[in-house]
Amino acid sequence: MSTNIILLGPPGAGKGTQAKRLVEERGMVQLSTGDMLREARSSGTEMGKRVAAVMDRGELVTDEIVIGLIREKLSSGAASGGYIFDGFPRTLAQADALAALLDELGQSLDHVIEMRVDDEVLVARITGRATCANCGAVYHDVTRPIPADGKCANCGSTEITRRADDNEDALRTRLLAYYKQTSPLIGYYHAKDQLESVNGLAAIEEVSAEIAGLLGQQTQDA
Ligand code: AP5
Ligand code: MG
């Protein structure tokens, strides 16, 4: 049976990093609304143009747009390894929409995992981040440096980029948006008895181990 999970946490909590590991280790499918929106803006679609400035400021794009993106992905068929919702939902309206969508498709939401971190580490994590434009592998100047030959360790691409919203100004706005609009989801899922949490301040491998403990046995061959 597939397992659908949400990774919930502020910018830099490590959602993308852990999602990539779950994709590799368990054959799950990562649904990152941030990645989808960045793809839309780089492909120059009307929607991409509309959201670019909003993203660069660090504000949230409209519920309608992100719910539409998720609906499209979920409607294209179930992922046998399950979905990882990374950066979605981010508002109560999005959380309600996700519950309705999963219900419609006869699917369940199995784990909501809060990644607990302190604001102080987030600035260092975000300003040191780099991402492979080809495969999405995540690097950090200090904790996971780009290989000396400048090639992605995962796919060999030399196109390793930094995000336009990874600066201190935009990060301040992103954090504010998180506390104002997204952190109420912690209470929401707690009230639904669905909230679990891991220590996002631990080393990447330790966070992975904690998540694996919550998810139980590997589901890839199931
Ligand atoms: P999005 O792309 O989702 O960005 P975010 O939530 O701000 O989160 P990040 O991707 O910055 O952090 P992360 O938790 O994935 O951390 P990562 O693993 O990379 O959204 C971007 C924008 O799109 C939003 O601002 C908004 O405009 C729009 N948007 C997206 N979804 C939306 C929605 N649902 N509704 C409305 N608008 C939406 O790690 C960060 C760094 O730390 C990396 O360098 C990594 O190597 C390092 N690191 C990770 N884990 C550890 C660890 N345990 N120890 C040490 N270093 C670590
Ligand atoms: Mg991310």
Side-chain angles (χ1 to χ4, degrees):
M1 222 191 72
S2 68
T3 303
N4 297 320
I5 72 170
I6 291 175
L7 294 180
L8 183 62
K15 304 181 294 293
T17 300
Q18 295 301 328
K20 289 274 177 308
R21 293 173 75 104
L22 290 167
V23 169
E24 275 164 32
E25 290 160 15
R26 292 178 177 252
M28 297 179 79
V29 172
Q30 177 188 12
L31 293 183
S32 158
T33 38
D35 287 349
M36 292 175 208
L37 291 165
R38 277 184 288 278
E39 203 178 297
R41 59 184 286 181
S42 66
S43 63
T45 60
E46 264 319 300
M47 188 262 280
K49 284 182 205 154
R50 262 191 290 147
V51 300
V54 177
M55 290 177 79
D56 288 352
R57 283 198 301 272
E59 293 165 7
L60 294 189
V61 309
T62 64
D63 288 337
E64 190 194 352
I65 288 178
V66 289
I67 291 167
L69 288 170
I70 290 289
R71 179 180 292 119
E72 203 177 300
K73 295 282 181 190
L74 290 183
S75 309
S76 64
S80 60
Y83 288 111
I84 308 154
F85 296 99
D86 160 7
F88 180 91
R90 255 176 157 95
T91 63
L92 291 166
Q94 291 178 22
D96 283 337
L98 178 63
L101 266 173
L102 289 173
D103 204 36
E104 239 173 71
L105 297 166
Q107 291 201 45
S108 54
L109 177 58
D110 303 290
H111 297 272
V112 179
I113 303 175
E114 180 202 359
M115 304 185 66
R116 281 181 284 105
V117 282
D118 289 339
D119 286 0
E120 298 91 84
V121 305
L122 300 179
V123 179
R125 283 192 186 180
I126 291 286
T127 51
R129 171 169 55 186
T131 310
C132 172
N134 182 50
C135 73
V138 189
Y139 294 93
H140 188 276
D141 295 339
V142 178
T143 54
R144 196 189 173 213
I146 300 163
D149 60 5
K151 290 185 182 159
C152 173
N154 190 39
C155 73
S157 167
T158 49
E159 221 190 311
I160 297 179
T161 57
R162 296 191 188 255
R163 274 169 45 177
D165 59 346
D166 277 355
N167 57 71
E168 288 199 30
D169 268 358
L171 178 59
R172 235 188 317 275
T173 311
R174 283 158 68 193
L175 273 175
L176 204 66
Y178 177 78
Y179 287 116
K180 222 171 142 178
Q181 293 162 279
T182 307
S183 66
L185 295 184
I186 293 170
Y188 172 95
Y189 286 116
H190 176 72
K192 291 180 129 196
D193 212 13
Q194 281 186 301
L195 191 75
E196 296 165 292
S197 79
V198 296
N199 176 15
L201 292 170
I204 292 173
E205 285 72 22
E206 288 170 36
V207 181
S208 295
E210 228 189 308
I211 292 175
L214 295 175
L215 301 189
Q217 288 292 308
Q218 294 256 343
T219 54
Q220 192 156 17
D221 303 322

